[in-house]
Amino acid sequence: MPLVVHNALDAARIRKSNPVASWGNRLQDNRVEPVAKPAFDVPFKFKRKERIFTIGSCFARNVETELIKRGFRIPMRELLSKPAFDGVDLEVVNNFGTPSIYNELAWAFDAEQFDEARGFIEVQAGKYIDLHMINSIRPASIEILRERRKGLGEAVRMLAKCRVLIITLGLIELWWDEQAQTYLNTAPLPSILKKSPERFALHVLSFEECRDYLDRALDICFANGRKDLQVVLTVSPVPMMYTHRRMDVMTANSYSKSVLRTVAEHIVANRDRVCYFPSYESVIHSDRRIAWSDDFVHVSNDIVAFNVERMVNAFTGRKRAEEPALPDPAQLPQEDVAALLLAERANQARLDSDAAFFVEHADAAMASPAFALEYARFLFDQDSHESVAGLLAEDPRVDAQLIRAQSLMKLRRYGEAIETANMICRHSPKGDLHWRILVNATAAIGAPSDVLEIERRWLDHNPRHRYIVMVTVGRALRRLARYDAAIDRLKEATSIGEKTPIIAIELARCLIATGKNREALRLLEGVEAQNEGHVRLLRSLKERAMERLE
């Protein structure tokens, strides 16, 4: 059975309307480098300072830390304040596999009974360990282990009072206890394995096993939790520290995460109150020097904070304007399959400069927005800017208005270009083209104070693009004869980025206009022209500076 089925129309609609349906590229402001920002659905909202229940692998502890900083209450952390947990690391609540997540929920809500006789093992005289807690905890008296079990059960039952549950999936290499007929949370101590080698075995779980345990765990959650319980499911990016299998840990880890990610996809597809947050995808697709600590295992604090901030911002309604977003299903284009396929053909015809195709199908632009956009791009390439401006005049889509704004600039209809670019800025699309159009159109009508206001808005919106802002505004101010202000910006651009021939030419023009001819000559020394136009401009500027020196 397929996991998801879309008919041809819906499949074409979704791809055409999805701004994150492809990867993008390095030539644009992209969502992949240096830190990946995959888009995700936000079907509900967190409430300020509410309790959030967390369960799962060690990455869940990272998430808890950041949630606490933002004022949320985390029941699993409150557990550690109990006397029985004095001196115990917070990793005591880690649950690495879906069987462990199921076990803790089943024991807490009486779906199964914890078997103390098999779960506790004496390792020294009067000292015991709990096989279902992490193996780094020092042995303690059986009374303390009972208190810890009691405290953990009480903490897990706090789920019943929480509206939000975050589950983080970790591993699929797990240890099986043959005597207790259950999975453990972590590996038994070497001394225990040596003493009872037939009791324990390593299992590499299948997709079916992982999903079954998680499904049963969620059944317990929904049966015992609030009626409005919502679940955020994640896969921990933290890899296996080592593998017990005869293979490279990288290969073993790839299988482990692939299974868990597939389990998550199936769960989300089949449960209305479960959504997926892509912390795993963000970390593994980000620059490794940013994402990972030196041991290649632990995720850096910075990227944990970054991902939790993205999640909390989105689920509290404070999502940044530049965040990538999935298309709203209600906004999918309402066109039939034939129209969308014709638009696909139009895309190729435009790349082939096939004018005959567009002559034949020109009427389709009146009925199909998808075709109209490809037609407009073809007309733009043919310098038919009046036709572009007319064709897209009533099209509200940002992509369409961006093409129209470029044609309006070619037609010198600067007022309309400003109005259009301002509208585009309100939608905060990727890239800077709309901002550059706004600056250049404003400069063209001779409004330097407005150019400076646009500069402020642009930098507020995207401070990381200071280089391109300084170049664009500097060139605009030069055209407005605001030479000193232009010099400041162009010099700043060369201090933070590459000194290209065009920046050197623009800056030299300003320096010559303000009588700084020697500085202009020094600036132009060694500048390599990239085309014949640059050769002529560089020669002309050098000659003009020399003449004024004489």
Side-chain angles (χ1 to χ4, degrees):
M1 282 284 293
L3 178 61
V4 176
V5 175
H6 290 307
N7 64 41
L9 175 57
D10 285 342
R13 285 174 177 169
I14 292 168
R15 191 192 71 77
K16 294 287 286 186
S17 64
N18 187 359
V20 290
S22 61
W23 290 86
N25 59 71
R26 287 193 176 98
L27 302 179
Q28 301 171 337
D29 180 28
N30 66 71
R31 68 186 196 287
V32 179
E33 296 177 333
V35 177
K37 299 180 285 293
F40 54 97
D41 276 321
V42 185
F44 69 98
K45 292 289 191 290
F46 292 172
K47 295 177 181 177
R48 190 168 178 266
K49 296 186 177 180
E50 74 174 322
R51 285 193 186 99
I52 294 180
F53 191 85
T54 50
I55 192 168
S57 72
C58 55
F59 190 70
R61 311 290 80 80
N62 300 133
V63 173
E64 290 169 356
T65 299
E66 296 302 324
L67 288 171
I68 290 168
K69 289 178 183 177
R70 288 157 176 79
F72 293 95
R73 295 180 60 189
I74 308 296
M76 294 304 281
R77 286 296 186 90
E78 295 167 8
L79 165 71
L80 299 178
S81 64
K82 295 181 179 293
F85 290 89
D86 284 347
V88 176
D89 192 270
L90 60 87
E91 291 181 351
V92 68
V93 292
N94 286 352
N95 294 109
F96 295 100
T98 58
S100 300
I101 293 171
Y102 167 77
N103 285 343
E104 294 301 341
L105 290 164
W107 293 328
F109 289 104
D110 295 325
E112 293 189 16
Q113 295 300 311
F114 180 80
D115 187 344
E116 183 180 297
R118 290 184 171 90
F120 296 163
I121 290 185
E122 187 174 24
V123 292
Q124 301 170 19
K127 299 290 185 180
Y128 296 79
I129 59 115
D130 185 335
L131 285 173
H132 295 277
M133 290 189 181
I134 58 171
N135 57 21
S136 59
I137 301 176
R138 294 172 64 87
S141 68
I142 199 165
E143 290 77 19
I144 289 179
L145 263 63
R146 287 170 178 159
E147 283 299 307
R148 288 175 183 164
R149 265 287 136 207
K150 179 182 176 183
L152 182 56
E154 291 171 353
V156 173
R157 284 191 290 275
M158 285 297 292
L159 166 67
K161 297 183 179 181
C162 296
R163 189 180 63 93
V164 178
L165 164 63
I166 299 175
I167 301 177
T168 303
L169 308 180
L171 302 173
I172 56 90
E173 280 194 21
L174 302 175
W175 286 88
W176 173 256
D177 183 342
E178 185 66 29
Q179 187 179 114
Q181 289 291 293
T182 189
Y183 280 106
L184 306 181
N185 191 19
T186 57
L189 293 171
S191 59
I192 295 173
L193 290 175
K194 185 176 181 180
K195 183 178 180 181
S196 306
E198 300 303 318
R199 177 175 174 177
F200 303 102
L202 180 81
H203 285 196
V204 179
L205 271 62
S206 68
F207 163 79
E208 290 79 12
E209 290 173 294
C210 285
R211 179 178 176 179
D212 176 63
Y213 276 106
L214 186 55
D215 261 327
R216 288 193 283 148
L218 287 168
D219 287 342
I220 294 171
C221 294
F222 287 123
N224 294 277
R226 291 173 40 159
K227 291 183 179 179
D228 59 351
L229 178 66
Q230 298 281 346
V231 181
V232 180
L233 188 57
T234 73
V235 173
S236 170
V238 178
M240 303 163 65
M241 293 188 70
Y242 46 77
T243 181
H244 289 82
R245 304 170 70 189
R246 186 183 169 277
M247 61 172 56
D248 194 305
V249 69
M250 289 188 282
T251 306
N253 184 70
S254 179
Y255 170 74
S256 177
K257 298 302 181 184
S258 297
V259 167
L260 293 172
R261 180 64 188 87
T262 307
V263 166
E265 192 74 8
H266 280 252
I267 294 290
V268 171
N270 288 281
R271 290 185 182 262
D272 292 339
R273 287 192 280 160
V274 183
C275 64
Y276 180 74
F277 176 70
S279 56
Y280 170 72
E281 288 79 357
S282 175
V283 173
I284 65 165
H285 288 302
S286 294
D287 188 318
R288 292 194 65 84
R289 294 166 296 183
I290 296 172
W292 302 96
S293 300
D294 289 343
D295 61 4
F296 297 136
V297 171
H298 292 95
V299 180
S300 72
N301 292 334
D302 287 342
I303 205 163
V304 171
F306 171 82
N307 270 286
V308 176
E309 181 183 29
R310 287 190 77 215
M311 180 175 70
V312 174
N313 283 350
F315 280 89
T316 54
R318 297 196 297 270
K319 195 170 182 179
R320 293 178 179 175
E322 67 270 19
E323 279 283 349
L326 298 172
D328 185 335
Q331 301 301 316
L332 297 179
Q334 300 301 307
E335 300 186 51
D336 60 28
V337 175
L340 293 171
L341 291 176
L342 183 63
E344 289 289 337
R345 290 175 58 199
N347 176 268
Q348 187 59 50
R350 177 175 64 84
L351 297 175
D352 295 338
S353 299
D354 186 355
F357 175 88
F358 289 100
V359 170
E360 180 183 354
H361 298 286
D363 290 345
M366 304 303 295
S368 168
F371 180 85
L373 193 60
E374 295 300 336
Y375 190 21
R377 288 171 173 149
F378 171 77
L379 292 171
F380 184 90
D381 293 343
Q382 304 302 310
D383 293 325
S384 298
H385 299 296
E386 286 285 2
S387 297
V388 173
L391 179 63
L392 301 178
E394 303 300 324
D395 193 327
R397 294 173 298 173
V398 168
D399 285 354
Q401 289 304 306
L402 193 56
I403 297 169
R404 183 169 183 269
Q406 294 175 78
S407 282
L408 291 170
M409 289 295 290
K410 296 285 187 179
L411 295 168
R412 300 187 180 182
R413 290 159 57 177
Y414 299 122
E416 292 178 75
I418 290 170
E419 181 181 351
T420 303
N422 269 317
M423 181 277 291
I424 296 170
C425 289
R426 289 193 292 272
H427 287 82
S428 302
K430 294 186 296 182
D432 293 310
L433 180 56
H434 49 296
W435 288 105
R436 287 188 275 125
I437 290 171
L438 189 55
V439 168
N440 293 328
T442 303
I445 63 173
S449 61
D450 289 344
V451 169
L452 297 178
E453 173 59 18
I454 295 165
E455 176 188 50
R456 182 195 63 75
R457 287 168 51 199
W458 190 356
L459 286 171
D460 285 347
H461 175 76
N462 202 339
R464 293 186 298 119
H465 288 197
R466 193 171 188 87
Y467 173 79
I468 190 63
V469 176
M470 293 297 102
V471 172
T472 304
V473 173
R475 296 180 71 184
L477 292 172
R478 195 274 303 168
R479 292 195 296 272
L480 290 166
R482 297 299 180 98
Y483 298 117
D484 288 337
I487 289 170
D488 289 342
R489 284 153 180 81
L490 293 168
K491 283 187 174 181
E492 181 175 350
T494 60
S495 72
I496 60 178
E498 183 183 0
K499 186 180 75 174
T500 63
I502 197 64
I503 295 177
I505 288 167
E506 292 288 339
L507 184 51
R509 282 171 162 166
C510 295
L511 292 171
I512 292 169
T514 54
K516 301 171 183 175
N517 298 293
R518 292 189 187 280
E519 187 177 348
L521 287 170
R522 287 196 298 272
L523 171 72
L524 296 172
E525 190 68 33
V527 174
E528 294 184 6
Q530 294 178 337
N531 53 53
E532 286 300 318
H534 288 168
V535 171
R536 291 192 296 271
L537 278 170
L538 289 168
R539 184 188 303 120
S540 174
L541 288 170
K542 289 176 182 178
E543 290 172 354
R544 195 185 315 167
M546 291 295 295
E547 288 171 1
R548 295 191 179 189
L549 281 174
E550 296 171 357

